């Protein structure tokens, strides 16, 4: 090599591969308003649908009269259950093994449930016509409290299945019972509690919230009667699953269904499942022979599409006097709403809630979950978390603080005494998981040093004294959380959606010039896949990321995949991308050997080229090899340079982190001001540090929203009281705290590039951190557990009950 | 979130607007910034057949001094209120209040006239107008008249305006220089209506409150002028005992609804806290 030949490091930098803070390529269109969303789609002859919804939480539908609506000029049709029933489409299967009404047949079971679908030539006419549909209801007593669901004499909600004794996961205990699920060693756990020196018990409730993506759920369905083909553009986090389900329901052959998810404005779990509006739009297009668009508004999104959480967790920890945990026992009452439309892998009705032993070395544990029906919207999706993982993290992190309080120990110290030690990995948890890797003590200690934890505790002590002397009306709270996520669903041996194994896929095509088109089975909703997948390929193949186009979301072109949620894209499709690239690299190596007239074994890889060992000036770059693949392939080798990989992960990945929050509470108004928030995340190998930081910022902001204000509330007769941005807390930049981010790197030993996934960690770790901080502020006055969300009036009420208002 | 059909009118003069409103009758609504009316229409809580947009009427815009009064045209935007240097000097409470209304985008379009005339108890400016003793200039078919802000609000969305009348300007007597004022608002987030809010204008003399006026936002069906609360501090140094009395007097007249901001009991207590904090701040500002 001579002086002008760039060094390996210089060449590597130019690729913008893994580890590079590459700017998001998708932002070029987004910041210019040139994204292309479902609602941007305008097809010739397109009709518009609008839904007539129930004003009641629970009522019998006596009569539907659509005559006036049909008479309105511009109205093409009005669909009701009576129209869908002959097609067997008045109910649709859910991901949880239940069915959900598409349009209500005899009863409505939650406010804003879908009752009729109006189709008109114009969006305004559709809304006018929806108002003209006359529905006669007979109101029934509503059941909104999950704790009353299985009481004797409780209202019968699901008349369609009231005599069904077997649910999707075993025997039902009551007509409002959905499933019971348990895991762990009950006897051994009970024994640990009998022997325990110290125990704590608390009902820890995680309120019903909603993922609330800025873009609501929507679709355009277009049925081509001549070809017998259906095209559906929609806000789908999992387009291939939608295609398969659509084929199974409609009997249209799967190859004649084209599902396209264009740019999506946020999903957070809300866009995993299928909604009645989609089915209605498809039926309407088949009936009318014209494209039909359905776009929900904000109120519909918040009140009728999938909610999250609503988990009521009675939690007990057994421990020794010196603070070693010896057992964990949790019973969960899960409110699933009117239909079980929970989005979990089929075998996991409570998701991966059995990650609830968290980051601690519990010798035994037992978890039991009961799911019940109530007169609320269906759902139970993973709102920016892996399945039920944020519930589990909130549960264990609150419980550990409660235990620390009982033992008179600092919460960080209690955690240090119980964290799984580095040498214990891979770690078998008491509830059945194998944690892949971690160095928990190093992470927590780094976090404590970064914020000067001791100094903060000293300041808090001084503040408490000043408060007692009447010199201040502000309390200081310090929240600590240490979380372990379980993401990347998942190994086909235990994860499937409706029987389809939860692998994921990548297809990479190297074109003759060395430019690349890559397609994955996942679907970005803002995660930045177009940027990060290209970085993986750039590093693996030595081709510049800028020469790589990443495409997702079109089921005609993308390889089959299970979509994006549960931080699974990097663990699954990211792995598939690396594996497909390695297949290509292996073929390129054969071509290089042929061109350089040496054995393959005499070649070594150097950033972007194969070179002859000991003779670095003899090399072929990947770009040259791409040309050769289409121009001069070795004898016996087929031309072309492309590969597909379907990656079935051997295990989940287990990202973790240590978060610390400092806040001040104004006891006279209940306002909590977050002064400082430090987040240390370990997501294994870091593909794009800037995107990771952005993900952490966004996830922490959502965690802040959930902990401090988000809640979907129902009154006693089943009215949803806050389904709009007036009341549903979506913080703006003004309310959002400033975030400090940090990291450690513990690669996953089983993932091809060692990456673990990161998008959801901040929600999982953030929520308990804020909650612990609020609780921490009051605990010196004897308070043990304060329910979320920590909005002004709830916090003020706590202060009031503690007698702080004189 | 799709409104019903309506006809849109855009008169160029007050005279034309008033004529239109009388002619079209109760199915017509004047449209100022639209930040209350249009959301109501999208929710179909309001379905006017006619909207009379006042935006093209030049004579409704602007801020000017008239002797001891400041006159603000009804179509003056909140942003204009914030940006006006004369107001900042003579009536700083208006700027302080406008800055906690919604967000900059809304304030570029939302008007002070719409804010006071709509009768929404959640709006911030009405309590400030009660506090300042402002007078609304009103135009109708029968000509012009003036209505004191303190006599204007009759119930939620119910005002002293007769059918066909509209507010054209707000006349505010300027408090003496050296007065202290504050608008204290507790809200859940930017853009929210107040959980409770209090406006205070006072003057000090020899270390004691010489005059004091207090208005309350979103604590009843109408904005409240808290006379008893103000009396509790007049003649005092605005010491802790006086502030406590004023807060209690404010709480006594507050009758907020329980809503997602909190139960009525909490919001009542917040009335007192906001009054106490506004008094403290106004006192430090009085010279």
């Amino acid at each position: 090599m001579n002086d002008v030949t760039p060094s390996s490091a210089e060449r590597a930098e130019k690729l913008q591969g893994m580890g590079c803070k590459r700017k998001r390529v998708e932002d070029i269109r987004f910041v210019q308003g040139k994204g292309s969303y479902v609602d941007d789609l305008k097809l010739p002859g397109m009709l518009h649908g609008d839904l007539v919804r129930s004003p009641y939480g629970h009522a019998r539908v006596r009569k539907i009269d659509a005559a006036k609506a049909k008479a309105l000029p511009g109205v093409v049709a009005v669909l009701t259950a009576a129209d869908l029933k002959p097609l067997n489409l008045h109910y649709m299967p859910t991901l949880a093994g239940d069915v959900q009404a598409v349009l209500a047949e005899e009863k409505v079971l939650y406010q804003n449930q879908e009752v009729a679908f109006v189709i008109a030539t114009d969006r305004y006419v559709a809304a006018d016509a929806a108002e003209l549909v006359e529905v006669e209801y007979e109101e029934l007593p509503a059941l909104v409290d999950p704790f009353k669901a299985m009481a004797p004499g409780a209202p019968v909600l699901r008349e369609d299945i009231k005599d069904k004794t077997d649910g999707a996961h075993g025997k039902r205990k009551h007509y409002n019972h959905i499933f019971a699920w348990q895991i762990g060693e009950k006897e051994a756990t009970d024994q640990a509690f009998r022997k325990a020196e110290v125990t704590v018990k608390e009902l820890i409730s995680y309120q019903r919230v909603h993922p609330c993506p800025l873009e609501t759920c929507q679709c355009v369905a277009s049925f081509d009667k001549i070809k017998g083909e259906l095209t559906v553009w929609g806000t789908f986090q999992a387009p291939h699953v939608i295609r398969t389900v659509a084929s199974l329901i409609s009997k249209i052959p799967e190859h004649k269904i084209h599902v396209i998810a264009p740019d999506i404005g946020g999903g957070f779990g809300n866009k995993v499942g299928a909604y009645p509006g989609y089915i209605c739009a498809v039926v309407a297009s088949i009936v009318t022979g014209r494209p039909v668009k359905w776009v929900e508004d904000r109120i519909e999104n918040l009140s009728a599409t999938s909610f999250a959480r609503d988990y009521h967790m009675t939690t007990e920890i057994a421990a020794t006097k010196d603070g070693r945990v010896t057992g964990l026992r949790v019973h969960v009452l899960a409110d699933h709403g009117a239909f079980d439309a929970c989005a979990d892998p089929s075998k996991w009705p409570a998701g991966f809630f059995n990650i609830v032993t968290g980051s601690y070395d519990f010798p035994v544990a037992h978890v039991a979950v009961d799911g019940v029906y109530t007169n609320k919207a269906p759902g139970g999706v993973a709102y920016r978390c892996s399945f039920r993982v944020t519930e589990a993290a909130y549960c264990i992190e609150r419980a550990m603080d409660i235990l620390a309080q009982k033992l008179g120990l600092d919460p960080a110290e209690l955690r240090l005494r119980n964290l799984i030690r580095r040498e214990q990995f891979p770690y078998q948890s008491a509830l059945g998981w194998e944690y892949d890797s971690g160095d928990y003590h190093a992470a927590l200690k780094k976090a404590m040093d970064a914020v000067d934890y001791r100094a903060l505790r000293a300041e808090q002590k001084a503040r408490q004294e000043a408060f007692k002397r009447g010199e201040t009306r502000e309390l200081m709270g310090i929240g600590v959380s240490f979380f372990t996520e379980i993401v990347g669903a998942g190994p086909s041996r235990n994860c499937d959606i409706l029987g389809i194994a939860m692998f994921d896929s990548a297809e990479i095509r190297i074109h003759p010039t060395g430019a690349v088109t890559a397609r994955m089975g996942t679907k970005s909703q803002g995660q930045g896949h177009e940027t990060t997948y290209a970085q993986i390929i750039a590093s693996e193949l030595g081709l510049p990321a800028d020469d790589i186009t990443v495409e997702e979301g079109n089921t005609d072109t993308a390889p089959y995949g299970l979509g994006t949620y549960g931080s699974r894209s990097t663990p699954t499709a990211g792995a598939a991308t690396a594996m497909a690239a390695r297949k290509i690299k292996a073929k390129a190596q054969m071509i290089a050997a042929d061109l350089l007239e040496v054995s393959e074994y005499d070649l070594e890889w150097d950033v972007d080229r194969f070179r002859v060992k000991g003779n670095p000036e003899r090399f072929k770059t990947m770009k040259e090899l791409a040309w050769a693949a289409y121009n001069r392939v070795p004898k016996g080798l087929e031309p072309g340079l492309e590969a597909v990989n379907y990656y079935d992960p051997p295990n989940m990945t287990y990202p973790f982190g240590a978060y610390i929050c400092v806040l001040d509470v104004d006891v006279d108004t209940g306002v909590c001001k977050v002064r400082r928030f430090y987040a240390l995340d370990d997501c294994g190998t870091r593909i794009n540090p800037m995107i990771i930081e952005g993900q952490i910022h966004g996830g922490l902001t959502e965690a802040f929203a959930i902990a401090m204000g988000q809640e979907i509330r129902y009154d006693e007769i089943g009215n949803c009281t806050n389904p709009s941005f007036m009341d549903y807390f979506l913080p703006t930049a003004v309310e959002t705290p400033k975030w400090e981010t940090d990291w450690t790197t513990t690669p996953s030993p089983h993932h091809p590039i060692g990456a673990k996934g990161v998008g959801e960690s901040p929600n999982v770790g953030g929520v308990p951190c804020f909650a612990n901080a609020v609780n921490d502020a009051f605990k010196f006055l004897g308070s043990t557990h304060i329910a979320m969300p920590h909005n002004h009036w709830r916090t003020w009420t706590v202060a009031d009950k503690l007698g702080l208002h004189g | 979130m799709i409104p019903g059909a309506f006809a849109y009118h855009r008169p160029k003069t007050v005279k034309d607007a008033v004529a239109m409103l009388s002619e079209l009758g109760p199915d017509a609504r004047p449209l100022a910034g639209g930040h209350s009316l249009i959301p109501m229409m999208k929710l179909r809580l309001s379905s006017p057949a006619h909207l009379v947009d006042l935006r093209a009427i030049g004579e409704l815009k602007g801020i000017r001094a008239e002797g001891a009064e400041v006159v603000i045209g009804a179509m003056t935007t909140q942003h204009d209120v914030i940006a006006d240097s004369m107001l900042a000097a003579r009536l700083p409470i208006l700027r302080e209040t406008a800055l906690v209304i919604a967000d900059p985008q809304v304030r570029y379009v939302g008007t002070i006239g719409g804010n006071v005339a709509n009768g929404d108890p959640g709006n911030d400016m009405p309590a400030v107008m009660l506090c300042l003793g402002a007078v609304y200039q009103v135009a109708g078919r029968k000509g012009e008249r003036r209505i004191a802000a303190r006599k204007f609000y009759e119930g939620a969305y119910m005002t002293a305006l007769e059918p066909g009348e509209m507010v054209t300007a707000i006349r505010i007597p300027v408090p003496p220089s050296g007065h202290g004022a504050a608008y204290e608002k507790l809200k859940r987030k930017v853009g929210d209506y107040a959980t409770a809010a209090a406006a205070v204008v006072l003057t000090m003399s020899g270390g004691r409150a010489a005059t004091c006026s207090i208005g309350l936002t979103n604590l009843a069906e109408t904005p409240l002028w808290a006379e008893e609360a103000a009396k509790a501090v007049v003649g005092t140094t605005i010491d802790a005992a006086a502030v406590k009395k004023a807060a209690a007097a404010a709480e006594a007249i507050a009758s907020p609804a329980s809503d997602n901001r909190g139960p009525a009991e909490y919001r009542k207590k917040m009335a007192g806290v906001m009054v106490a904090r506004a008094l403290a701040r106004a006192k430090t500002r009085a010279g």
Side-chain angles (χ1 to χ4, degrees):
Chain A
M1 290 225 238
N2 56 43
D3 292 345
V4 293
T5 306
S7 70
S8 297
E10 284 165 342
R11 282 182 282 124
E13 200 185 322
K14 282 206 175 118
L15 297 176
Q16 297 194 73
M18 287 194 284
C20 167
K21 292 184 183 178
R22 184 177 183 226
K23 283 187 182 163
R24 286 168 36 116
V25 294
E26 40 276 84
D27 288 351
I28 294 167
R29 64 179 187 277
F30 292 149
V31 301
Q32 297 182 85
K34 300 289 184 194
S36 174
Y37 299 89
V38 173
D39 202 19
D40 291 322
L41 201 66
K42 290 180 180 69
L43 299 178
M46 189 170 75
L47 301 172
H48 299 263
D50 198 359
L51 281 158
V52 177
R53 294 175 180 274
S54 165
Y56 297 107
H58 192 195
R60 209 165 288 290
V61 179
R62 285 288 177 211
K63 196 178 152 199
I64 302 175
D65 183 354
K68 282 184 194 161
K70 284 178 181 165
L72 191 72
V75 173
V76 177
V78 178
L79 296 177
T80 65
D83 302 304
L84 299 183
K85 203 171 177 179
L87 308 168
N88 205 22
L89 285 175
H90 58 314
Y91 280 96
M92 62 178 183
T94 70
L95 296 179
D98 196 358
V99 291
Q100 176 176 353
V102 174
L103 293 173
E105 189 188 10
E106 287 165 349
K107 269 183 32 168
V108 286
L109 290 159
Y110 57 94
Q111 192 181 46
N112 284 350
Q113 185 179 336
E114 299 79 1
V115 176
F117 189 70
V118 175
I119 308 132
T121 51
D122 176 275
R123 182 68 187 88
Y124 288 83
V125 174
D128 290 344
E131 284 216 313
L132 294 175
V133 176
E134 291 170 347
V135 186
E136 203 179 293
Y137 296 99
E138 177 195 330
E139 206 177 345
L140 296 169
L143 172 65
V144 290
D145 180 351
F147 286 92
K148 293 179 182 161
M150 292 199 284
V156 179
L157 302 196
R158 292 288 300 279
E159 285 174 358
D160 58 318
I161 55 163
K162 72 173 189 294
D163 299 323
K164 213 174 147 199
T165 51
D166 288 306
H169 301 278
K171 290 275 175 222
R172 298 169 69 209
K173 299 174 187 173
H174 184 276
Y175 48 78
N176 291 329
H177 185 243
I178 306 171
F179 69 89
W181 182 77
Q182 59 167 325
I183 194 162
E185 292 180 40
K186 186 167 189 319
E187 223 0 84
T189 306
D190 290 348
Q191 179 73 8
F193 275 85
R194 280 194 292 271
K195 284 197 204 153
E197 292 171 1
V198 181
T199 61
V200 288
K201 181 175 183 178
E202 187 65 58
L203 169 60
I204 298 172
S205 279
Y206 198 144
Q207 77 275 15
R208 176 175 281 237
V209 295
H210 193 280
C212 194
L214 274 190
E215 178 201 36
T216 59
C217 298
Q218 37 201 271
C219 75
V220 176
S222 180
F223 185 70
D224 183 329
K225 284 191 175 178
I226 311 290
K227 293 186 188 160
E229 295 191 4
L230 173 68
T231 306
V232 185
W233 292 263
T235 48
F236 305 133
Q237 290 182 233
H240 283 98
V241 180
I242 293 281
R243 186 184 70 185
T244 303
V245 172
S247 176
L248 293 172
I249 296 176
S250 70
K251 314 286 186 246
I252 299 169
E254 199 169 357
H255 66 289
K256 292 197 168 189
I257 300 178
H258 316 287
V259 174
I260 300 164
D263 285 330
I264 297 181
F268 313 115
N270 186 234
K271 294 169 179 169
V272 171
Y275 293 117
Y278 303 159
I279 310 274
C280 289
V282 168
V283 172
S285 180
I286 293 172
V287 169
T288 62
R290 293 166 71 175
V292 176
K293 181 187 272 187
W294 171 72
V295 176
E296 62 176 12
D297 68 22
R298 180 62 52 194
I299 292 173
E300 294 177 292
N301 180 252
L302 284 172
S303 62
T305 63
S306 291
F307 73 93
R309 326 301 192 228
D310 219 342
Y311 250 38
H312 307 277
M313 305 169 282
T314 303
T315 311
E316 297 168 90
I317 298 181
T320 62
K321 275 183 288 191
D322 63 349
R324 303 264 165 203
V325 295
T326 56
L328 175 70
R329 197 157 58 186
V330 185
H331 178 266
V332 181
L333 183 67
D335 184 340
H336 282 221
F339 302 98
D340 188 11
C342 201
D344 290 314
S346 304
K347 296 187 195 98
W348 301 91
F352 303 151
F353 184 77
N354 52 321
I355 193 74
V356 70
T357 51
S359 314
Y360 312 107
D361 190 12
F362 277 94
V364 288
H366 182 257
V367 165
V369 183
D370 282 295
V372 294
Y373 291 121
T374 59
N375 288 121
K376 300 182 195 168
V381 294
Y383 166 11
R384 203 174 186 140
C385 68
S386 196
F387 313 99
R388 301 292 188 187
V389 174
T390 181
E391 287 94 329
Y394 176 63
C395 176
I396 188 63
E397 288 306 291
R398 273 304 301 133
M400 287 299 276
D401 262 31
I402 292 165
L403 176 64
Q405 187 176 355
K406 179 143 188 185
L407 292 165
L409 273 177
D410 182 275
E413 175 55 33
L414 178 70
R415 284 172 172 79
L416 286 169
R417 287 186 196 177
N418 289 287
L419 287 175
I420 298 159
R421 298 184 311 281
R422 192 173 61 169
E423 62 274 18
Q424 289 177 283
F425 290 94
Y427 172 80
Q428 300 292 332
S429 82
L431 293 176
W433 298 118
E434 183 184 300
Y435 294 17
D436 59 351
S437 64
D439 187 349
Y440 293 176
H441 287 89
L444 182 51
K445 283 177 182 159
K446 186 175 181 184
M448 291 168 73
D449 288 345
V451 298
D452 198 350
Y453 186 74
R454 273 170 205 281
L456 286 172
R457 285 291 176 200
E459 184 191 347
Q460 183 188 37
K461 185 97 186 114
R463 177 80 70 84
Q464 288 165 353
E465 296 305 323
F467 183 83
K468 285 181 191 161
R469 291 193 301 269
E471 293 164 12
T472 175
R473 297 294 290 159
E474 279 194 343
L475 297 175
M476 175 177 167
I478 304 165
V480 177
S481 76
F482 196 101
F483 66 92
T484 296
E485 261 248 87
I486 170 168
V487 307
S492 58
R493 67 177 179 277
N494 55 16
C495 293
D496 70 272
I497 296 274
L498 298 175
I500 303 163
M502 292 180 72
F503 56 81
D504 226 290
S505 61
E507 176 207 89
I508 305 174
R509 293 183 175 181
I510 314 288
H511 308 308
T513 56
V516 181
T517 302
R519 299 184 175 106
M520 287 76 184
T522 47
K523 173 62 198 165
S524 178
Q525 310 118 45
Q527 289 87 342
H529 290 175
E530 289 169 48
T531 308
T532 49
Y533 286 146
Q535 289 181 258
I536 297 174
I537 297 169
S539 285
E540 290 285 342
L541 291 180
L543 293 167
D546 283 348
D547 292 352
I548 301 165
T549 294
V550 170
E551 291 178 1
E552 293 176 303
N554 185 335
T555 56
D556 284 352
T557 53
Y560 203 100
L562 276 286
T564 292
Y565 42 84
S567 287
R568 66 186 301 279
S569 299
T570 297
T572 59
T577 301
M579 299 306 273
R582 288 171 195 181
K583 285 188 196 174
I584 287 168
K585 198 165 155 185
K587 182 172 179 182
Q589 188 167 3
M590 289 190 238
I591 300 170
D594 185 60
L595 292 174
L596 292 163
E597 296 176 326
V598 293
S599 152
E600 276 178 57
Y601 304 104
D602 292 329
L603 293 175
E604 61 185 3
W605 178 252
D606 172 39
V607 182
D608 56 356
R609 62 194 61 186
F610 282 105
R611 66 186 180 199
V612 177
K613 283 179 192 166
N615 192 358
E617 282 179 50
R618 292 198 62 217
F619 63 82
K620 287 288 170 192
T621 65
M622 187 54 89
K623 208 171 164 166
E624 292 170 315
L625 295 168
W627 183 257
Y630 291 90
N631 164 269
R632 188 189 169 282
V633 282
K635 225 183 196 163
L637 206 61
E638 62 185 81
L641 198 57
E642 58 185 67
V644 184
N645 181 269
Y646 283 77
Y647 189 80
D648 183 3
N651 189 6
M652 274 8 134
T653 60
Y654 297 78
F656 61 92
Y659 291 178
I660 297 174
C661 171
V662 186
L663 53 74
D664 298 297
V665 184
D666 176 344
V667 298
D668 291 322
T669 57
V671 173
C672 299
K673 251 203 182 126
V674 176
R675 190 202 307 177
R676 190 164 184 197
F677 197 102
Y678 168 91
L680 178 147
D681 275 276
D682 191 320
C683 59
T685 303
R686 291 156 57 84
I687 299 167
N688 183 326
M690 189 176 69
I691 285 187
I692 291 171
E693 197 177 24
Q695 288 270 34
I696 307 282
H697 285 190
L700 288 176
T701 304
E702 283 180 326
F704 168 73
I706 292 168
M708 308 312 278
Q710 288 191 344
E711 182 179 26
I712 294 288
R713 297 179 79 190
Y714 286 84
D715 67 13
E716 66 282 0
I717 58 166
N719 294 310
C720 182
T721 67
N722 56 354
S724 82
F725 282 157
M726 175 58 78
D727 286 313
Y728 190 73
F729 181 53
L730 204 68
T732 71
V734 175
E735 291 79 40
T736 303
K738 184 180 176 340
W739 310 117
E740 296 170 50
T741 58
D742 204 346
W743 70 93
T744 55
T745 303
T746 315
S748 169
H750 64 74
H751 187 276
I753 57 170
K756 289 187 170 187
V758 74
E760 300 169 331
S761 293
N763 194 323
V764 171
V767 172
C769 194
F770 290 109
N772 281 347
V774 175
N775 276 278
D776 186 70
F778 287 103
K779 84 179 175 198
F780 77 110
L781 298 164
S783 162
T784 51
H785 177 66
I786 304 166
M788 283 197 296
H790 302 292
N791 55 20
H792 302 165
W793 69 265
R794 275 205 185 81
T795 308
W796 179 87
T797 305
V798 171
D800 202 54
K801 285 194 177 142
L802 290 168
L804 304 185
H805 297 137
Chain B
M1 295 300 279
I2 306 283
F6 57 87
Y8 176 81
H9 309 271
R10 198 178 171 96
K12 292 221 165 60
T13 63
V14 171
K15 204 178 143 203
D16 288 350
V18 166
M20 267 178 201
L21 287 170
S22 327
E23 237 166 72
L24 297 168
D27 280 347
R29 287 290 305 272
L31 178 73
H35 278 85
S36 298
L37 183 55
I38 289 174
M40 302 267 275
M41 289 168 63
K42 286 180 164 183
L43 292 167
R44 297 198 176 217
L45 294 172
S46 175
S47 300
H50 299 273
L51 281 186
V52 178
D53 188 350
L54 309 178
R55 207 167 315 183
I57 306 175
E59 59 192 297
L60 288 177
K61 286 177 202 157
I63 301 164
R64 62 180 192 276
E66 270 187 24
E69 286 183 336
V70 162
V71 181
I72 305 175
M75 288 299 288
T76 305
T77 66
Q78 306 288 2
H79 173 76
D80 293 336
V81 170
I82 292 165
D84 190 272
S85 57
M86 185 265 286
L87 280 186
R90 299 184 70 191
L91 275 165
I93 193 172
L94 291 188
R95 181 170 196 275
E96 184 166 304
T97 305
L99 278 170
V100 293
I101 295 173
D103 53 61
Q105 280 172 302
V106 171
R107 297 196 293 257
Y108 282 124
V109 180
T111 64
I112 193 164
N115 196 285
V116 301
N118 196 33
D120 183 342
N123 286 350
D124 293 285
M125 284 295 181
V128 176
M129 297 307 163
L130 299 189
C131 178
L132 289 165
V135 171
Y136 301 153
Q137 209 165 289
V138 168
R141 192 138 218 197
K142 292 179 207 154
E144 283 215 346
R145 63 177 182 133
R146 290 180 182 188
I147 308 173
R150 289 171 190 166
K151 304 258 184 220
F152 187 76
Y153 299 99
E154 297 173 348
Y157 303 99
M158 314 256 288
T159 66
L161 285 178
E162 296 290 335
E165 279 188 328
M166 54 181 252
V167 172
T168 55
I170 302 163
R171 311 186 72 91
I172 306 169
V174 178
S177 72
H179 77 277
Y183 188 68
E184 194 76 38
K185 179 178 181 180
L186 178 64
K187 57 185 178 184
R188 295 168 298 179
K189 60 175 278 193
V190 161
D192 195 13
Y193 291 124
T195 302
V200 167
V201 175
L202 53 76
T203 55
M204 300 292 284
S205 169
R208 291 180 182 272
T211 63
C212 180
S213 180
I214 299 175
L216 302 175
T217 297
N218 213 19
L219 288 159
E221 294 275 285
T222 64
L224 298 173
W225 186 40
E227 287 181 89
E228 290 302 319
K231 270 188 206 156
V233 297
V234 173
T236 75
T237 57
I238 316 186
D239 56 315
V243 168
K244 204 171 168 186
K245 256 177 92 178
E251 287 171 29
I253 59 164
S255 56
S258 290
D259 63 13
N260 285 297
R261 292 171 188 86
E265 197 43 43
Y266 167 70
R267 297 185 58 200
K268 248 172 121 85
K269 290 282 178 196
M270 291 310 101
V273 175
M274 291 302 106
V275 164
R277 290 184 182 184
L279 280 170
R281 218 142 44 81
K283 181 186 169 184
T284 63
R285 286 168 175 177

